Amino acid sequence: MRRGSIVQLIVIGVLAGAVASAVALIPNWLPSSASREAGRIDFVFWFVTGICIFVFSIVAAVSVYSVWKFRVKPDDDSDGPPIHGHTGLEIAWTAVPALLVTAIAIVSAIVLAKDDAAGANPLRVNVYAQQFFWSFSYPGYGDKKSDVLRLPVNRSVVLEGHSKDVIHSFWVPEFRQKQDLVPGLTPTLHITPNKVGTYPLICTELCGLGHALMRSRVVVMEPAAFDKWASRKGA
Ligand SMILES: [Cu+2]
């Protein structure tokens, strides 16, 4: 391959990479992040996005270069010359994607394991889903009930999911994680909120006519304010 062709390919690849990076970085694609787990999940997201941009740049460079340099005349109906495979190239395009996919698998496994590690003394909260609302109870505080999920900031929380009727799904965009709540099962979800604020809690499993209205709120509070609220009798 001529030196000039390689330079041209690299220039197209860099341009394609720059455009793809701008599309990835300039709009604000993700909601703000309000938990330690969300930060790690975002890291996986950007890690995979970076790999995608890298692969896209190579594919775009080869495609644009081929269309530009190897275009036939409009009246040329002949078949192209028969070509033979290129062993080195085939090994490269098998090995490189295999390495990239392995890297994604390892990074994801580490993040999943870390996100699941609830530590020694997590706050336990029962999450109840039913058509079409959410309710919560705090076994550590005399089984206190609430219609709003109140959590202290910077403390590990283990949510135990319960569905009273059909399948629902617990999702707080700012926490990133999502958990299906299936009748008869009690899945757990570990979250460490790290930003005080109020966030939407949304059901993301079509659960019936009122599904679109099945929403609540998560209020992340300072620990002292949370303790005061949780120790008070009544909702
Ligand atoms: Cu629903």
Side-chain angles (χ1 to χ4, degrees):
M1 203 172 182
R2 285 179 301 109
R3 193 109 163 264
S5 316
I6 293 180
V7 171
Q8 285 165 342
L9 271 171
I10 291 174
V11 168
I12 302 169
V14 168
L15 283 177
V19 171
S21 302
V23 171
L25 295 176
I26 292 173
N28 210 359
W29 294 109
L30 300 178
S32 67
S33 133
S35 78
R36 224 170 277 166
E37 292 70 26
R40 297 193 193 107
I41 291 169
D42 286 359
F43 172 77
V44 178
F45 177 83
W46 289 115
F47 181 72
V48 175
T49 302
I51 289 175
C52 291
I53 292 174
F54 168 71
V55 172
F56 171 75
S57 306
I58 295 174
V59 173
V62 174
S63 306
V64 170
Y65 182 86
S66 304
V67 169
W68 172 32
K69 294 283 178 176
F70 305 124
R71 179 184 288 274
V72 294
K73 300 233 162 47
D75 57 350
D76 181 356
D77 290 334
S78 64
D79 286 339
I83 52 170
H84 190 266
H86 186 298
T87 311
L89 208 53
E90 285 171 20
I91 290 174
W93 78 47
T94 306
V96 172
L99 280 175
L100 293 177
V101 172
T102 308
I104 293 172
I106 291 171
V107 168
S108 305
I110 292 172
V111 166
L112 276 175
K114 283 194 163 189
D115 277 1
D116 264 352
N121 183 29
L123 170 71
R124 295 193 175 269
V125 183
N126 287 311
V127 175
Y128 299 97
Q130 67 190 95
Q131 291 167 322
F132 297 96
F133 64 89
W134 298 95
S135 55
F136 310 91
S137 78
Y138 297 76
Y141 292 87
D143 223 25
K144 186 181 175 71
K145 309 253 182 302
S146 175
D147 290 345
V148 170
L149 178 56
R150 291 181 182 269
L151 300 174
V153 71
N154 291 327
R155 176 164 175 202
S156 262
V157 179
V158 173
L159 302 176
E160 193 171 289
H162 308 266
S163 168
K164 296 183 177 176
D165 39 42
V166 299
I167 303 175
H168 300 277
S169 189
F170 173 98
W171 185 47
V172 177
E174 284 76 6
F175 294 162
R176 301 293 190 273
Q177 296 144 294
K178 194 153 80 163
Q179 177 64 55
D180 274 8
L181 305 181
V182 181
L185 301 180
T186 49
T188 56
L189 186 61
H190 171 238
I191 297 173
T192 318
N194 62 2
K195 214 184 273 170
V196 170
T198 301
Y199 313 104
L201 193 173
I202 303 165
C203 176
T204 47
E205 182 65 54
L206 183 59
C207 57
L209 261 185
H211 165 65
L213 304 172
M214 187 167 165
R215 285 168 173 249
S216 181
R217 282 175 296 138
V218 182
V219 181
V220 177
M221 315 164 76
E222 292 295 346
F226 171 80
D227 253 2
K228 201 170 155 199
W229 170 81
S231 310
R232 220 169 49 206
K233 287 258 172 284

